[in-house]
Amino acid sequence: MSSLEMHVHAGSEVVERPEQAETLRPVTEDARYIGSSSERPSARRLVQGQGVYVDDIELPRMAHAVFWRSPVAHCRILGIRAEEARRMPGVVLVADGRDIATVCKPWVATLAHMVGMKSAPQYPLAIARACWQGEPVVAVVAETRAQAEDALQRIEVDYEMLPAALDMQTALDPATPVIHPELGDNLCFTRHLEVGGVDEAFARADAVVECDFEFGRHTGVTLEPRSQLADWNAAEQRLTVYHSCQAPHMMQDLYARQFELPESAVRVVCKDVGGSFGIKVHAYPDDFATVALSMLCRRPVKFVADRLESFTSDIHARHHRVHARLAASRTGEILAFELDDLTGVGPYSMFPRTSAIEGNQVVNLVGGPYRHQAYRADLKVVFQNKTPTCQYRGVGHPIACAVTEGLVDLAARKLRIDPLEFRRRNVIPDDAYPTKGVSGIAFEQLSHEACLRKIEVMMDYPVLRAEQAALRERGIYRGIGFATLIELTNPSAAFYGVGGARIASQDGATIRLDPAGGITLMASVGEQGQGNDGIFRQIAADAVGVDLERVRVVTGDTEVTPYGGGTWASRGAGIGGEAVLLAGQALRANILKLAAAMLKRDVAGLAVRRGHVVDAGSGEMLLPFAELGRVAYYRSDTLPRDFTPELMVTRHYAQRDYPFIFTNGVQASYVEVDVDTGFVRLLKHWAVEDCGRVVNPKLVDEQIRGAIVQGIGGALLEECLYDEHGLMLNATLADYLLPMSAEMPDIHVAHVQTPTRSSQLGAKGAGEAGTAGAPAAVMNAINDALAPLGAQVWSQPATPEKILRALGVPA
């Protein structure tokens, strides 16, 4: 059964492009699992309540930390009175910023390749000033969490309110306070990109459309809050940190550098992680403070954020104001894009990935699916006294896609061309690759035309348009919105390494044949709910040639897994999976060498099938893996004296052919807008995704569906609201709106497969594409519904209030 046939057998909708038929062949000798919807190994354990999260871990003499966080957006710290807190029952330590600074160095989060970027030095606990509501200032360590919370109430901090820079639109005005005077102004980063021909294109255009887009600041709400348990062993001078994070080796490196420890003296362990979405890929001030507290107390210290502090201490994202325009000919040819993007990132750039990446991505990605040749973009990233922003699922893609696709819909409407047809005329053709996008990004192979054809059939587009027209006659306003998208996946060192950030672009896998014939896989890419452990098990089983149940997967421990980048930027299958494949192939080759030595046969005449070495010609079973393991480990005396079996191998993989491997897709949304209340009802959503070879159809589809739901949250519901003093107004789950299952539409997913040639597996990423396209599709659907009424909403989230305002209904 071929990989493609296994997809169809599993019920996943797949379009095979004829020119890709050869690349869809099985990539392993004993191909049974790659391409099938196999169950992830952790599923049963987790649903039975056997997961182990940071808060489940108890260590001897463990204490608990809580933080007094700034209650205001900007203040000078005049004094801290903690004597009464220190006398409270169970209190071990009360520490301020100066105490922590004795063991932990400050940091500055910039990247060298982002020329001109600046940020101020930041400490684990604020020392002289607190620069946002939620910045940690004082730490209390006690025997129990309750005792620490009680003592926290007895701390008195004297502070002087300082003027705050809150509005990113006025952040650079002379009258606005400069948050860090040593930086000179509130400008973090600026970028100008111009490829030429923009003014000429707009001058000769038959149609020009322009728009102001607004994207509300929002945050990721993970099931498990940020948490860590730091255990400093003073006798051995070793640090172990149990962490709920996405990149254990990155944190190992940061702890070693900030606390001036040998990297070998630091171990980071991530057991089960209850979701991440990019929220947990950064180093937070309280991360370093918790480690410092463990060192000062010489005992394990646990910190688990509660929901209230999560809203002002977890990173935010997405807050952008974009003015953009598009030029087109009367025949519907896109001639040029131009945009001006302003984004606010809080008072500091986040460490170590920096807070300018999201805006930089917007510049790179706007107009990405289309073949225009003129482009101009300006970006300003400014500091403000609000919670820091940084990378969150999609990283710039939702903004870039919404700007691009919103302008495309405006142009199609102005030229009276069907929006699907307008896209067909302008996407980069499927036979044009490899090529470069107008911003300079390199595309290996995309499939926009195939995806557009597929989605038109999936949604029965002509029938849907007829239904929409008939309902409009009855005063029912429904809209259809499209979003053609590209997604950055499988990044090379061009993402962070070139800027000096010590974040690995490679990942590794170690595979061992155990004496009983099973295999143990240790992978540097972790599992955080997306199913990496499942696909790694499938790839390893096929690569080595064993039954799925015979593979045990270990991730998330810097002490035992190979060095690697971890989980971010849709790289689990494409980078981590390739490392697993290479390691599995190497182990299989070594197994065959061992079998050849035992059988005294030529290795070329042997093969592996279902946990056995077989005759390559006849298929006759010759040796089970258990016998190979028994002899290799316990009876090496029976082997030739000059032969030593190597049944544990490690392989690494880094994508080097392109800076990134792009994937693509298209989404469509069907909504109904109640023009009396402004409420939007989501009726159906479709997605066609090309993420290369699909390793596990069910996991990929659920990743896409989950990401779409997250994208819909940003489009309709989620926003961190602030008052005029810089205080967050809705920092509770009672007030911050999240998408709920009852509100979500049926989401239909299908695939086009264009495997990347940069790896044997051919997998691209899929974890962020749903979030990238959904907001644009929903936004365009809402505006399509409102079009007969002459109303438009370009501000996300598209709340009922904004829709009614667009309709001219008095507030």
Side-chain angles (χ1 to χ4, degrees):
M1 183 182 291
S2 74
S3 176
L4 179 68
E5 290 168 338
M6 284 190 282
H7 276 298
V8 176
H9 179 72
S12 178
E13 297 181 78
V14 179
V15 172
E16 179 184 0
R17 299 173 57 200
E19 66 271 26
Q20 293 297 331
E22 178 63 20
T23 63
L24 282 172
R25 69 190 186 279
V27 295
T28 59
E29 183 177 298
D30 188 16
R32 291 177 285 154
Y33 300 113
I34 295 175
S36 67
S37 293
S38 302
E39 180 183 295
R40 66 179 79 179
S42 58
R44 293 180 185 271
R45 176 175 58 82
L46 293 175
V47 298
Q48 292 178 31
Q50 299 300 309
V52 179
Y53 301 91
V54 171
D55 203 32
D56 295 318
I57 302 171
E58 299 286 335
L59 297 180
R61 300 180 62 249
M62 184 179 75
H64 297 260
V66 298
F67 295 97
W68 189 94
R69 297 179 183 272
S70 174
V72 297
H74 197 193
C75 67
R76 181 176 292 111
I77 301 166
L78 303 176
I80 298 169
R81 296 196 297 276
E83 294 77 13
E84 190 175 352
R86 290 187 175 96
R87 292 194 296 268
M88 292 287 288
V91 171
V92 177
L93 176 70
V94 177
D96 62 19
R98 289 180 175 82
D99 298 323
I100 301 299
T102 62
V103 292
C104 181
K105 298 186 298 185
W107 59 89
V108 176
T110 58
L111 291 171
H113 67 299
M114 305 190 78
V115 179
M117 185 183 181
K118 60 192 181 188
S119 187
Q122 188 176 3
Y123 290 83
L125 299 182
I127 295 178
R129 290 181 302 130
C131 293
W132 82 89
Q133 180 201 18
E135 183 172 8
V137 178
V138 186
V140 177
V141 182
E143 300 288 348
T144 69
R145 175 67 179 255
Q147 289 173 329
E149 295 279 6
D150 287 344
L152 193 67
Q153 308 309 310
R154 305 301 179 94
I155 289 177
E156 296 182 20
V157 178
D158 295 326
Y159 59 87
E160 174 191 356
M161 293 277 289
L162 296 174
L166 300 174
D167 186 346
M168 63 188 186
Q169 291 185 288
T170 61
L172 301 178
D173 290 356
T176 300
V178 176
I179 300 173
H180 304 292
E182 67 272 28
L183 298 182
D185 55 31
N186 289 327
L187 183 64
C188 172
F189 177 67
T190 185
R191 182 184 175 196
H192 175 76
L193 173 65
E194 184 161 2
V195 300
V198 175
D199 293 331
E200 296 84 351
F202 277 96
R204 65 185 171 88
D206 298 304
V208 173
V209 294
E210 60 184 310
C211 188
D212 290 306
F213 298 87
E214 181 181 24
F215 301 89
R217 179 186 263 255
H218 56 280
T219 186
V221 183
T222 56
L223 283 173
E224 180 195 21
R226 288 190 301 107
S227 49
Q228 64 173 321
L229 168 54
D231 183 11
W232 169 247
N233 187 319
E236 297 181 355
Q237 294 288 289
R238 286 185 56 81
L239 173 67
T240 301
V241 182
Y242 298 90
H243 213 309
S244 174
C245 77
Q246 297 174 239
H249 285 101
M250 180 195 82
M251 293 306 302
Q252 178 192 37
D253 171 74
L254 293 178
Y255 289 140
R257 285 194 285 146
Q258 295 309 117
F259 293 94
E260 298 185 326
L261 298 169
E263 194 165 345
S264 60
V266 181
R267 178 187 183 190
V268 177
V269 183
C270 295
K271 292 187 177 289
D272 293 310
V273 177
S276 48
F277 312 132
I279 297 300
K280 298 177 181 176
V281 80
H282 314 290
Y284 289 83
D286 46 43
D287 288 339
F288 296 115
T290 303
V291 171
L293 293 169
S294 178
M295 290 180 166
L296 293 172
C297 295
R298 292 177 170 244
R299 61 192 293 182
V301 174
K302 178 188 287 186
F303 164 66
V304 178
D306 65 31
R307 288 295 181 188
L308 295 176
E309 64 186 328
S310 289
F311 275 108
T312 56
S313 65
D314 291 357
I315 61 103
H316 296 176
R318 307 279 204 259
H319 196 193
H320 292 250
R321 292 180 183 269
V322 181
H323 178 78
R325 60 181 187 148
L326 176 152
S329 70
R330 64 171 52 89
T331 59
E333 177 190 3
I334 296 174
L335 303 175
F337 281 93
E338 183 179 25
L339 79 121
D340 192 333
D341 181 14
L342 173 68
T343 182
V345 296
Y348 299 97
S349 172
M350 280 294 289
F351 191 50
R353 295 167 188 266
T354 82
S355 299
I357 290 289
E358 183 175 80
N360 197 58
Q361 291 285 78
V362 173
V363 171
N364 288 335
L365 299 173
V366 163
Y370 301 107
R371 59 173 184 255
H372 60 288
Q373 295 301 309
Y375 181 52
R376 177 189 294 143
D378 283 286
L379 168 70
K380 284 188 177 68
V381 180
V382 298
F383 294 118
Q384 54 185 167
N385 291 113
K386 293 182 178 178
T387 301
T389 72
C390 208
Q391 282 79 299
Y392 166 58
R393 193 174 194 174
V395 193
H397 292 68
I399 292 98
C401 185
V403 170
T404 302
E405 296 302 291
L407 291 175
V408 164
D409 261 25
L410 282 173
R413 191 172 295 128
K414 186 168 187 176
L415 292 167
R416 299 182 182 277
I417 300 173
D418 179 86
L420 189 60
E421 173 60 25
F422 191 88
R423 287 169 171 82
R424 268 196 294 260
R425 295 183 190 183
N426 285 283
V427 292
I428 300 171
D430 292 359
D431 61 0
Y433 298 94
T435 189
K436 281 192 173 184
V438 68
S439 68
I441 51 180
F443 297 129
E444 177 198 18
Q445 181 69 55
L446 303 180
S447 57
H448 292 302
E449 292 176 321
C451 288
L452 288 169
R453 288 194 300 269
K454 178 64 177 173
I455 205 164
E456 182 176 18
V457 174
M458 278 178 67
M459 62 193 296
D460 205 349
Y461 184 55
V463 171
L464 208 61
R465 281 294 186 198
E467 176 183 284
Q468 178 193 38
L471 289 171
R472 280 180 178 173
E473 296 296 321
R474 296 163 44 194
I476 298 172
Y477 295 94
R478 291 187 174 181
I480 302 167
F482 292 100
T484 305
L485 63 102
I486 56 175
E487 182 201 358
L488 176 161
T489 76
N490 297 8
S492 72
F495 209 157
Y496 293 117
V498 294
R502 294 167 63 88
I503 301 168
S505 57
Q506 70 165 19
D507 270 283
T510 297
I511 301 186
R512 178 184 72 223
L513 178 69
D514 296 324
I519 63 174
T520 296
L521 162 66
M522 290 161 280
S524 59
V525 173
E527 161 59 20
Q528 271 125 57
Q530 69 277 72
N532 281 332
D533 58 343
I535 62 171
F536 293 166
R537 187 171 70 151
Q538 290 174 255
I539 295 166
D542 273 4
V544 179
V546 298
D547 292 335
L548 201 64
E549 296 74 20
R550 302 287 284 167
V551 182
R552 175 174 173 262
V553 180
V554 177
T555 65
D557 188 342
T558 60
E559 195 90 328
V560 299
T561 61
Y563 202 94
T567 304
W568 48 275
S570 298
R571 63 195 300 281
I575 305 256
E578 185 72 7
V580 173
L581 178 66
L582 296 175
Q585 290 172 338
L587 178 59
R588 186 183 71 226
N590 287 356
I591 287 171
L592 290 174
K593 291 176 185 176
L594 171 60
M598 291 172 61
L599 296 169
K600 297 181 174 55
R601 293 179 55 161
D602 185 352
V603 71
L606 302 176
V608 170
R609 293 288 186 278
R610 299 178 180 266
H612 288 76
V613 174
V614 302
D615 183 279
S618 68
E620 176 191 359
M621 289 188 178
L622 302 175
L623 281 173
F625 278 12
E627 178 63 10
L628 290 162
R630 184 189 71 83
V631 171
Y633 292 115
Y634 308 129
R635 291 303 309 275
S636 56
D637 60 304
T638 65
L639 298 173
R641 291 182 61 84
D642 60 350
F643 177 80
T644 300
E646 296 288 347
L647 297 182
M648 183 171 180
V649 299
T650 299
R651 293 292 183 271
H652 284 83
Y653 173 74
Q655 195 278 121
R656 293 187 177 89
D657 294 342
Y658 293 86
F660 316 97
I661 298 297
F662 277 90
T663 184
N664 70 279
V666 60
Q667 293 184 34
S669 183
Y670 190 36
V671 308
E672 182 177 312
V673 179
D674 186 324
V675 297
D676 295 319
T677 65
F679 276 88
V680 175
R681 185 158 67 98
L682 300 159
L683 302 173
K684 275 190 178 180
H685 200 99
W686 299 266
V688 177
E689 172 71 3
D690 185 346
C691 57
R693 182 186 294 273
V694 176
V695 178
N696 186 312
K698 184 180 289 186
L699 283 179
V700 168
D701 289 0
E702 292 314 306
Q703 275 286 291
I704 292 171
R705 287 190 178 97
I708 286 170
V709 169
Q710 204 154 15
I712 289 172
L716 295 179
L717 302 167
E718 297 185 55
E719 185 173 16
C720 299
L721 299 170
Y722 285 82
D723 67 11
E724 68 275 16
H725 304 295
L727 305 183
M728 190 172 167
L729 296 169
N730 58 335
T732 74
L733 285 176
D735 302 302
Y736 183 92
L737 299 182
L738 290 167
M740 307 295 283
S741 58
E743 302 159 346
M744 292 300 102
D746 288 338
I747 300 172
H748 303 272
V749 180
H751 297 279
V752 172
Q753 290 192 69
T754 311
T756 174
R757 292 181 174 87
S758 68
S759 67
Q760 292 184 48
L761 188 63
K764 306 175 186 178
E768 298 170 281
T771 305
V778 171
M779 176 189 71
N780 282 343
I782 291 170
N783 286 325
D784 185 50
L786 297 176
L789 304 173
Q792 296 179 333
V793 178
W794 302 108
S795 175
Q796 296 183 23
T799 61
E801 179 185 14
K802 293 175 183 177
I803 290 172
L804 291 176
R805 190 184 304 129
L807 289 167
V809 177

